[in-house]
Amino acid sequence: MTITAGIVLFGVFFALLFFGAPIALAIILSSVVTFLLILPFDVTILTAAQRMATGIDDFTMLAIPLFVLAGIIMNNGGIAFRLVNFAKVLVGRLPGSLAHTNVVGNMLFGSISGSSVASAAAMGRIMTPMQTNHGYERTYSAAVNIASAPTGLIIPPSSIIIIYSLASGGTSIAALFMAGYIPGLLWGIAVMTVAYFGAKKAGYPVSEIPSWRDRLYIVAQALPSLFLIIVVIGGIVAGVFTATEGAAVAVIYAVVLSMIYKSLKIKDFPAIFKETIEITGMILFLITASALFSLVMSYTGLPEALSNALLSVTESYIGLILIMLLILIVIGTFMDITPAVLIFTPIFLPISQELGIDPIHFGMTICFALCIGNMTPPVGSALFVGASVADVKIEQVIKPLLPYFGAVILVLLLVALIPQISLFLPNLLGL
């Protein structure tokens, strides 16, 4: 029955995706069809409805729409430009300094907005014209922007990390947030390293260095935005408030800061709320569908069967990790990260526990691996947005992206095989 259920569940799921069905619908229909093999029709429908309703019946889930709202407010509130200027101060002396500014800008803005798409769009619109005016190839600029945009999904606050916490059965969000800093920074450094050698080879210039007075002014302009990270993450880690309360604080802080900057008006809020509702509805619908999918897998014993199958292939710790990483990278190329985390966490978490991998370390590994799909076809959202804002074709930017892809894969291997990269900060803070 387990083998039959697995064939039906994944067979129907991938068949529906192949024919262009929305992923949430594919998840629900494949789950219902599989349940019908085991339960009567009326019991199946009742069970599915109850599971989908209870799938989002969690207080922590409120953090997702609030963080989404905070990110959209910041994206419209003039914060990106100030962070770009701050990034220039940090990396302005490096060859190809505007490319490095793009990377640091994505790391800063992405960590605040929690969205690779928002990051790629905001940084691309600001940095691409500047780089073009200084003689940078558009494909080079687009590749740097695309490759660094997903860092915001790793560096907290991140809704993907919250979703993993829910899918894994309640892994500490505070610990996961702290675990994301070093892997996210390593991703950014890897992209900057490749960009550095590309800039040296092409002879791209170093930016003009502002005076100390201008530097102090730029830092002062950026500090209020950066302080948001300290307030939200610091409050969550210190136990002052929960992740949900921290998200509410982020919304209030973003509104106040945008009003102070005079870059956000009352008339802008209906459009902001509409965008928040659309994104939140999509995420929550995926979560409800994936909750049903997880129930089917649990009921039929699929995670245990898949775990035993992988463990029978090899007993090597490194071998099993490499197999999981390969599967996750492939999955990430054609599935959005939210449903991928929800579907594959229950499958691979038991295997990681068999290997003695800490759930926090595993969380960083699975999120990192799936985030790579943001910069690869056919469904890489950062790839499409980054290419669009740079006004280049997808096929033109694939070749320049390959060295960045290789560098990020190398960092993924380090994150997966060296637990302390993820666990150092949580252990240091006793989380």
Side-chain angles (χ1 to χ4, degrees):
M1 177 56 72
T2 299
I3 295 173
T4 304
I7 293 172
V8 171
L9 181 64
F10 288 103
V12 174
F13 174 68
F14 287 116
L16 288 169
L17 287 184
F18 179 78
F19 287 108
I23 190 166
L25 185 61
I27 293 171
I28 293 170
L29 290 177
S30 60
S31 302
V32 170
V33 169
T34 306
F35 250 149
L36 286 172
L37 297 175
I38 309 165
L39 301 173
F41 178 80
D42 56 343
V43 176
T44 294
I45 298 303
L46 180 61
T47 302
Q50 287 178 336
R51 182 55 180 167
M52 291 178 67
T54 58
I56 55 172
D57 186 15
D58 191 316
F59 179 72
T60 305
M61 204 78 71
L62 285 173
I64 295 174
L66 290 172
F67 273 128
V68 169
L69 176 58
I72 293 172
I73 291 171
M74 293 169 199
N75 197 27
N76 289 273
I79 291 172
F81 188 75
R82 290 168 174 81
L83 293 177
V84 165
N85 288 334
F86 179 70
K88 276 187 190 178
V89 172
L90 295 179
V91 294
R93 293 182 179 272
L94 296 173
S97 53
L98 289 179
H100 300 299
T101 300
N102 196 154
V103 177
V104 175
N106 267 330
M107 293 168 71
L108 293 172
F109 185 74
S111 68
I112 292 174
S113 68
S115 168
S116 61
V117 173
S119 234
M123 292 299 120
R125 289 192 186 103
I126 295 171
M127 296 306 307
T128 301
M130 293 172 62
Q131 292 179 73
T132 302
N133 291 338
H134 284 79
Y136 290 67
E137 289 285 339
R138 280 186 173 268
T139 52
Y140 171 87
S141 303
V144 171
N145 187 37
I146 292 164
S148 58
T151 54
L153 297 174
I154 303 295
I155 301 173
S158 166
S159 59
I160 295 302
I161 291 177
I162 296 172
I163 289 170
Y164 167 77
S165 171
L166 296 167
S168 63
T171 306
S172 168
I173 293 177
L176 287 168
F177 275 0
M178 295 312 299
Y181 278 109
I182 296 178
L185 289 172
L186 288 176
W187 183 322
I189 291 169
V191 174
M192 290 178 70
T193 302
V194 175
Y196 173 85
F197 287 108
K200 289 282 284 187
K201 182 179 179 181
Y204 293 141
V206 176
S207 296
E208 294 182 10
I209 308 300
S211 65
W212 279 105
R213 181 179 178 180
D214 288 340
R215 291 186 206 179
L216 290 173
Y217 176 76
I218 290 169
V219 171
Q221 284 278 300
L223 276 179
S225 303
L226 297 173
F227 192 63
L228 171 66
I229 302 173
I230 297 172
V231 171
V232 174
I233 303 302
I236 294 171
V237 171
V240 177
F241 39 69
T242 64
T244 304
E245 292 162 348
V249 170
V251 171
I252 295 169
Y253 191 101
V255 170
V256 172
L257 188 60
S258 298
M259 291 297 187
I260 291 173
Y261 287 158
K262 296 181 180 179
S263 51
L264 196 65
K265 298 179 175 61
I266 298 296
K267 67 179 183 180
D268 297 328
F269 280 98
I272 289 172
F273 290 141
K274 180 184 176 183
E275 186 177 355
T276 302
I277 291 167
E278 290 173 349
I279 294 173
T280 301
M282 177 186 66
I283 294 173
L284 293 182
F285 189 39
L286 282 169
I287 291 174
T288 61
S290 299
L292 176 59
F293 197 90
S294 298
L295 177 64
V296 174
M297 288 195 295
S298 175
Y299 193 86
T300 56
L302 275 172
E304 294 83 0
L306 292 169
S307 175
N308 292 333
L310 278 181
L311 291 170
S312 68
V313 172
T314 177
E315 293 182 359
S316 166
Y317 176 88
I318 294 177
L320 284 167
I321 289 178
L322 292 178
I323 291 171
M324 284 194 290
L325 292 181
L326 178 61
I327 294 171
L328 290 169
I329 290 171
V330 172
I331 290 297
T333 61
F334 65 86
M335 186 181 293
D336 187 71
I337 186 172
T338 299
V341 168
L342 289 164
I343 291 171
F344 289 94
T345 296
I347 294 175
F348 288 133
L349 186 58
I351 301 173
S352 72
Q353 290 171 333
E354 288 278 346
L355 298 174
I357 298 175
D358 188 287
I360 297 168
H361 173 211
F362 176 71
M364 283 302 103
T365 302
I366 188 172
C367 289
F368 198 110
L370 291 171
C371 281
I372 294 174
N374 265 242
M375 54 186 277
T376 59
V379 296
S381 50
L383 171 65
F384 291 115
V385 171
S388 175
V389 295
D391 196 24
V392 297
K393 296 179 180 179
I394 300 293
E395 54 268 27
Q396 291 177 308
V397 81
I398 294 298
K399 185 177 179 180
L401 265 175
L402 292 177
Y404 298 100
F405 185 75
V408 173
I409 291 288
L410 179 59
V411 175
L412 170 62
L413 291 173
L414 293 175
V415 170
L417 297 173
I418 305 175
Q420 281 306 112
I421 291 177
S422 300
L423 299 178
F424 174 73
L425 288 178
N427 289 343
L428 183 67
L429 296 170
L431 297 171

